[in-house]
């Protein structure tokens, strides 16, 4: 019944069958205001199950948070499987460590490894120097074990990231359905802040704002913040109360930018979006769902709505901090004419509006069909090569050697996201799945603790639809979300030190599929950056 325990970095997954490792010392480095994470793993080979607890003594100027790493079942590897560049080889199908529970104890069976995720967050009183972080592992039976983790804090402060917005689509309908709320009751408003704070704490600064129900991923449950009524004489009346409440709450929670609902349907801008009477409780549409994007009735509505939107944004000082869309992922000649016509409607009715869309076809960028293209990382460097300013994104694909953050993406590879975003002059990052807890393209909720692919593998990848799990009163983080946030922290360090994109320190980053993907490279390069900061004062 001997308990084995050991410390590791945050860049290693501990599977149930992970063997015990020697309890060697762990050394960490950070700037003054960087948060730091590491893990404590425990295992016993035989005997009855027993509880094991973990306590951490935070050094002066830090808060320590201990969470248990929970397992989720993953039925298949994501395709294509690249040997040596895929985590969990030989262990998937099986249980994968991902969800983080607010627990500092585990009932440890024989023959299983479990881990705890420790996060050290500095406050304004943190000082530089070498610190020792004592970690105490206490089983019900047997003696407690202590591990000392070294933390070298450098006298360097990292500035907040700037000029690189990060957005991941937030599905308000998922909150309404999971927490069994009515749009938009006080239960909804009481849960929402926890999700907003979670985004901000992980480096996301932009939130999708459903002034209308998003025309994304199937016909969704109405989640329209704007109350809309049509008068007897055919005019429209708008009540912005809930929109304003949503925006102000997001700002109070640390979010700074707002991404507004796509104004035309997904994949080609063929139709007008679904706009509901009032907020859609009875799902009464103001026009038929197949109403053309450039139809007279929709043009009339947009002609009333867009000036109201402009006044709302101006009144709340949001115009320069807002992002607008035409249609998601148009591609090829079959979508070009519809997209061009829809963009022309917005240009005519709202000449003040600048648009951006996920579109990978570089011809769309060459023809300037949108003001800010957002290409997939598969073609994003082609946009850079042709001098077309752009954001970048990935969604379901590309996989294989490309950077990703899936349930079988090695954690050091996830940590490289921020480095790759910084390496080239991208203007922002977009991802579609912060909390998509549905069967693909339906209103049918899945159990995210049991299914992580929208029930559409291999087309959808395990880990792509969401980064957080629904907790009792707010989100539960994932290991992937924590590591991605650390990668954005790396971006901020590079930006603070004004590292040039063509600096030799970044020369190993050749493309989104050709880059270093080891913990050793990350540790070595961060150490070099922190040393460079010290040398420059």
């Amino acid at each position: 019944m001997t308990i084995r325990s050991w410390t590791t970095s945050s860049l290693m997954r501990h599977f149930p069958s992970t063997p015990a490792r020697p309890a060697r010392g762990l050394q960490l480095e950070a700037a003054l205001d960087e948060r730091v994470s590491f893990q404590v793993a425990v295992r016993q080979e035989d005997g009855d199950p027993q509880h094991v607890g973990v306590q951490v003594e935070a050094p002066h100027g830090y808060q320590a948070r201990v969470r248990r790493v929970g397992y989720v079942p993953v039925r298949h590897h994501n395709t294509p499987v690249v040997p040596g560049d895929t985590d969990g080889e030989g262990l998937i199908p099986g249980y994968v460590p991902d969800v983080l529970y607010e627990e500092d104890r585990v009932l440890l069976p024989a023959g299983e490894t479990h881990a705890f995720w420790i996060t050290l967050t500095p406050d304004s009183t943190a000082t530089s120097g070498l610190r020792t972080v004592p970690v105490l592992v206490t089983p019900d039976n047997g003696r407690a074990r202590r591990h000392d983790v070294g933390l070298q804090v450098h006298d360097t402060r990292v500035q907040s990231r700037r000029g690189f917005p990060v957005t991941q689509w937030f599905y308000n309908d998922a909150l309404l359905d999971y927490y069994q709320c009515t749009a938009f009751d006080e239960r909804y408003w009481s849960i929402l802040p926890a999700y907003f704070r979670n985004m901000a704490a992980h480096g996301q600064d932009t939130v999708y704002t459903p002034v209308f129900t998003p025309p994304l991923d199937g016909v969704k449950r109405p989640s329209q913040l704007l109350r809309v009524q049509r008068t007897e004489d055919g005019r429209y009346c708008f009540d912005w109360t809930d929109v304003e409440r949503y925006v102000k709450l997001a700002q109070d929670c640390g979010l700074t930018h707002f991404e507004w609902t796509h104004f035309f349907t997904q994949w080609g801008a063929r139709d007008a979006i679904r706009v509901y009477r009032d907020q859609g409780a009875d799902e009464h549409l103001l026009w038929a769902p197949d109403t053309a994007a450039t139809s007279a009735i929709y043009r009339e509505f947009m002609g009333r709505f867009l000036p109201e939107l402009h006044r709302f944004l101006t009144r709340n000082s949001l115009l320069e901090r807002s992002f607008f869309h035409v249609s998601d992922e148009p591609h090829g000649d079959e979508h070009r004419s519809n997209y061009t016509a829809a963009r022309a409607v917005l240009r005519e009715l709202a000449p003040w509006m600048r648009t951006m869309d996920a579109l990978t076809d570089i011809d769309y960028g060459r023809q300037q069909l949108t003001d800010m293209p957002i290409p997939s990382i598969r073609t994003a460097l082609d946009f850079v090569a042709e001098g077309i300013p752009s954001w970048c994104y990935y969604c379901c694909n590309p996989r294989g050697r490309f950077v990703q953050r899936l349930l079988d993406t090695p954690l050091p590879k996830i940590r490289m996201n921020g480095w790759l975003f910084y390496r080239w002059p991208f203007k922002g990052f977009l991802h579609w799945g912060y909390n998509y807890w549905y069967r693909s393209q339906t209103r049918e909720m899945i159990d995210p603790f049991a299914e992580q692919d929208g029930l559409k593998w291999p087309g959808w990848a395990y880990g792509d639809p969401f980064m957080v799990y629904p907790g009792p009163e707010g989100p539960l983080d994932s290991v992937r979300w924590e590591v991605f946030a650390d990668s954005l922290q790396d971006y901020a360090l590079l930006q603070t030190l004004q590292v040039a994109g063509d600096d030799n320190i970044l020369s190993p980053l050749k493309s989104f599929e050709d880059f270093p993907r080891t913990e050793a490279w990350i540790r070595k390069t961060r150490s070099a950056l922190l040393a460079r900061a010290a040398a420059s004062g």
Side-chain angles (χ1 to χ4, degrees):
M1 295 180 62
T2 301
I3 297 291
R4 300 285 302 277
S5 61
W6 64 99
T7 56
T8 72
S9 78
S10 60
L11 297 182
M12 175 184 178
R13 285 190 177 96
H14 299 88
F15 295 84
S17 60
T18 296
R21 300 179 62 179
R24 298 193 179 102
L26 178 66
Q27 300 295 319
L28 305 171
E29 280 188 285
L32 264 175
D33 45 6
E34 287 185 310
R35 71 171 198 166
V36 184
S37 296
F38 64 96
Q39 297 179 81
V40 179
V42 295
R43 182 180 179 87
Q44 68 172 354
E45 297 299 346
D46 52 32
D48 295 330
Q50 62 171 311
H51 285 96
V52 179
V54 169
Q55 295 175 299
V56 177
E57 183 181 329
H60 173 75
Y62 283 82
Q63 297 292 322
R65 184 182 186 187
V66 180
R67 288 174 286 179
R68 178 175 67 83
V69 183
Y71 293 117
V72 295
V74 177
R75 290 169 171 74
H76 313 282
H77 271 299
N78 293 311
T79 56
V81 177
V82 179
D85 195 32
T86 301
D87 211 353
E89 292 183 66
L91 302 173
I92 295 175
Y95 286 99
V96 173
D98 196 50
V99 59
L100 298 179
Y101 292 103
E102 297 288 348
E103 301 171 7
D104 59 7
R105 285 168 61 81
V106 65
L107 180 60
L108 183 65
E112 290 185 19
T113 295
H114 288 261
F116 295 87
W117 191 275
I118 290 74
T119 303
L120 301 174
T121 303
D123 60 32
S124 60
T125 67
T127 57
S128 60
L130 181 61
R131 303 284 183 269
T132 297
V133 183
V135 179
L136 195 64
V137 179
T138 309
D140 282 347
N141 303 309
R143 64 181 181 84
R145 300 193 67 189
R146 172 173 165 156
H147 301 274
D148 286 338
V149 175
L151 174 60
Q152 179 67 54
V153 182
H154 293 262
D155 191 16
T156 298
R157 292 197 178 276
V158 178
Q159 301 169 10
S160 297
R161 190 184 74 247
R162 59 195 182 279
F164 187 84
V166 172
T167 185
Q168 296 169 104
W169 289 344
F170 180 46
Y171 293 87
N172 281 270
D173 54 326
L175 257 65
L176 295 171
D177 283 334
Y178 186 85
Y179 294 101
Q180 299 182 348
C181 303
T182 301
F184 291 93
D185 59 15
E186 288 307 311
R187 170 74 169 150
Y188 164 83
W189 292 110
S190 70
I191 292 167
L192 191 59
Y195 283 88
F196 284 167
R197 288 192 294 267
N198 180 271
M199 294 175 202
H202 288 79
Q204 180 173 335
D205 56 6
T206 303
V207 62
Y208 200 98
T209 305
V211 62
F212 304 121
T213 300
L216 304 169
D217 309 302
V219 178
K220 314 185 72 56
R221 173 180 174 176
S223 55
Q224 177 178 309
L225 287 168
L226 184 67
R227 294 182 181 274
V228 182
Q229 296 290 346
R230 190 170 191 182
T231 63
E232 291 183 359
D233 61 358
R235 295 178 177 273
Y236 295 98
C237 297
F238 304 106
D239 181 346
W240 293 83
T241 302
D242 283 343
V243 184
E244 188 166 23
R245 184 174 182 180
Y246 185 96
V247 165
K248 290 187 179 302
L249 185 58
Q251 291 175 312
D252 290 344
C253 293
L255 297 169
T256 56
H257 290 70
F258 298 87
E259 183 183 7
W260 298 88
T261 307
H262 296 69
F263 292 125
F264 302 90
T265 52
Q266 194 172 28
W267 305 314
R270 189 187 71 177
D271 297 325
I273 63 172
R274 292 169 179 255
V275 176
Y276 294 95
R277 180 178 61 191
D278 197 40
Q279 290 179 304
D282 58 2
E283 302 207 25
H284 181 94
L285 288 167
L286 296 182
W287 42 79
D290 59 352
T291 297
T294 56
S295 62
I297 189 172
Y298 194 51
R299 285 179 59 91
E300 179 193 2
F301 173 81
M302 294 297 280
R304 301 285 185 179
F305 164 73
L306 290 170
E308 291 275 350
L309 174 63
H310 187 262
R311 282 190 284 274
F312 173 82
L313 297 175
T314 302
R315 184 171 69 250
N316 289 280
S317 302
L318 297 174
L319 189 57
E320 300 303 318
R321 293 182 288 124
S322 289
F323 303 114
F324 307 98
H325 296 291
V326 179
S327 171
D328 185 44
E329 292 188 321
H331 51 273
D333 293 338
E334 68 271 25
H335 293 166
R336 194 186 315 273
S337 60
N338 286 345
Y339 188 89
T340 302
R343 179 67 186 99
V345 169
L346 295 180
R347 189 173 286 113
E348 174 191 342
L349 300 178
W352 48 268
M353 181 182 290
R354 299 293 176 265
T355 63
M356 56 183 247
D357 277 306
L359 44 85
T360 297
D361 186 340
I362 196 169
D363 283 342
Y364 281 69
R366 289 169 178 154
Q367 297 172 26
Q368 299 181 353
L369 299 186
T370 188
D371 298 290
M372 180 61 67
I374 310 175
S376 161
I377 57 173
R378 189 185 294 280
T379 63
L381 293 185
D382 297 335
F383 284 69
V384 172
E386 295 198 19
I388 303 172
S390 69
W391 286 33
C392 62
Y393 87 108
Y394 46 76
C395 166
C396 298
N397 285 293
R399 305 177 208 163
R401 295 286 293 175
F402 283 90
V403 72
Q404 265 286 358
R405 52 183 196 181
L406 307 173
L407 274 161
D408 57 359
T409 304
L411 297 182
K413 188 174 175 180
I414 296 178
R415 183 71 181 259
M416 291 302 297
N417 271 274
W419 299 82
L420 290 162
F421 298 156
Y422 187 85
R423 171 69 173 81
W424 295 280
F426 293 110
K427 306 298 184 182
F429 172 73
L430 177 149
H431 189 269
W432 77 282
Y434 173 78
N435 66 321
Y436 188 86
W437 305 321
Y438 292 98
R439 178 190 286 268
S440 171
Q441 309 292 306
T442 75
R443 296 190 189 185
E444 178 189 339
M445 292 216 84
I446 59 171
D447 177 1
F449 298 92
E451 309 284 352
Q452 307 84 31
D453 65 335
L455 296 174
K456 201 179 178 181
W457 179 91
W460 285 16
Y462 286 98
D464 198 41
F466 57 86
M467 296 302 288
V468 297
Y469 296 81
E473 297 295 329
L476 297 176
D477 290 322
S478 66
V479 167
R480 296 167 294 121
W481 188 215
E482 293 290 286
V483 174
F484 182 80
D486 287 344
S487 83
L488 295 179
Q489 193 170 250
D490 296 335
Y491 184 107
L493 176 63
L494 289 162
Q495 191 174 64
T496 297
L497 299 180
Q498 300 181 22
V499 176
D502 59 357
D503 191 295
N504 283 337
I505 206 166
L506 299 178
S507 61
L509 283 68
K510 307 296 185 184
S511 71
F512 281 106
E513 56 181 331
D514 183 0
F515 56 91
R517 53 196 74 210
T518 66
E519 179 178 348
W521 186 89
I522 295 167
R523 289 173 64 92
K524 177 183 176 182
T525 308
R526 278 185 51 87
S527 291
L529 289 172
L530 291 167
R532 182 185 294 189
S536 66

